[in-house]
């Protein structure tokens, strides 16, 4: 019985093929949406770990429950100020890494 060797592909190769190459608008949009989705999931996970309802978290930062729901389902409409307020209310540390050419700037809030 002959065994066939299957070709394997990396996630990056699959994204290049089906989403677009790095640097294209389609790929950039995809990566942005993915990051915003992950940010929303982090907010929800932290809120649940703190035993807070969406309404309670909203009251802590001065927004309605609906805004927290939108953040958790997709944070792409959130301002950075709102995201910082949410994580501070959740007593979570926030780290931003920014690459400026060959240098990294790291900010912890």
């Amino acid at each position: 019985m002959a065994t066939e060797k299957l070709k394997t592909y990396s996630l990056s190769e699959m994204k290049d093929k089906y989403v677009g190459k790095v640097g294209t608008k389609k790929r950039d949009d995809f990566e942005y949406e993915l990051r915003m989705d992950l940010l929303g999931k982090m907010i929800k996970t932290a809120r649940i770990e703190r035993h807070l309802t969406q309404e309670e978290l909203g009251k802590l930062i001065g927004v309605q429950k609906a805004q927290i729901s939108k953040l958790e389902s997709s944070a792409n409409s959130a301002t950075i100020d709102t995201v910082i307020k949410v994580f501070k209310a959740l007593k979570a540390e926030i780290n931003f890494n920014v690459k400026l050419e060959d240098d990294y700037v790291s900010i912890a809030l």
Side-chain angles (χ1 to χ4, degrees):
M1 181 196 248
T3 59
E4 223 177 282
K5 186 173 181 182
L6 296 176
K7 171 111 171 84
T8 59
Y9 297 92
S10 69
L11 177 59
S12 182
E13 289 172 321
M14 296 300 289
K15 287 192 286 187
D16 285 350
K17 183 175 181 177
Y18 294 103
V19 178
K21 297 278 186 194
V22 172
T24 62
K25 180 170 178 7
K26 187 175 178 184
R27 178 70 171 263
D28 289 346
D29 290 348
F30 171 81
E31 298 290 349
Y32 175 79
E33 289 295 321
L34 182 60
R35 285 189 297 270
M36 292 301 102
D37 185 52
L38 291 173
L39 181 60
K41 287 183 185 344
M42 286 188 280
I43 291 169
K44 183 175 183 175
T45 299
R47 176 184 60 78
I48 290 169
E49 286 180 5
R50 300 289 189 252
H51 305 288
L52 293 170
T53 65
Q54 289 178 337
E55 186 173 1
E56 290 168 332
L57 179 56
K59 285 180 182 178
L60 286 173
I61 65 166
V63 300
Q64 298 292 314
K65 174 187 179 245
Q67 180 66 23
I68 301 301
S69 178
K70 286 179 189 176
L71 281 171
E72 290 180 356
S73 63
S74 179
N76 63 355
S77 63
T79 65
I80 193 70
D81 187 49
T82 301
V83 171
I84 290 170
K85 284 180 185 177
V86 167
F87 282 114
K88 282 188 175 187
L90 292 168
K91 295 179 176 51
E93 183 178 315
I94 307 165
N95 294 298
F96 293 100
N97 293 308
V98 178
K99 184 177 180 187
L100 303 171
E101 294 184 18
D102 293 329
D103 295 328
Y104 281 94
V105 177
S106 185
I107 302 169
L109 301 170

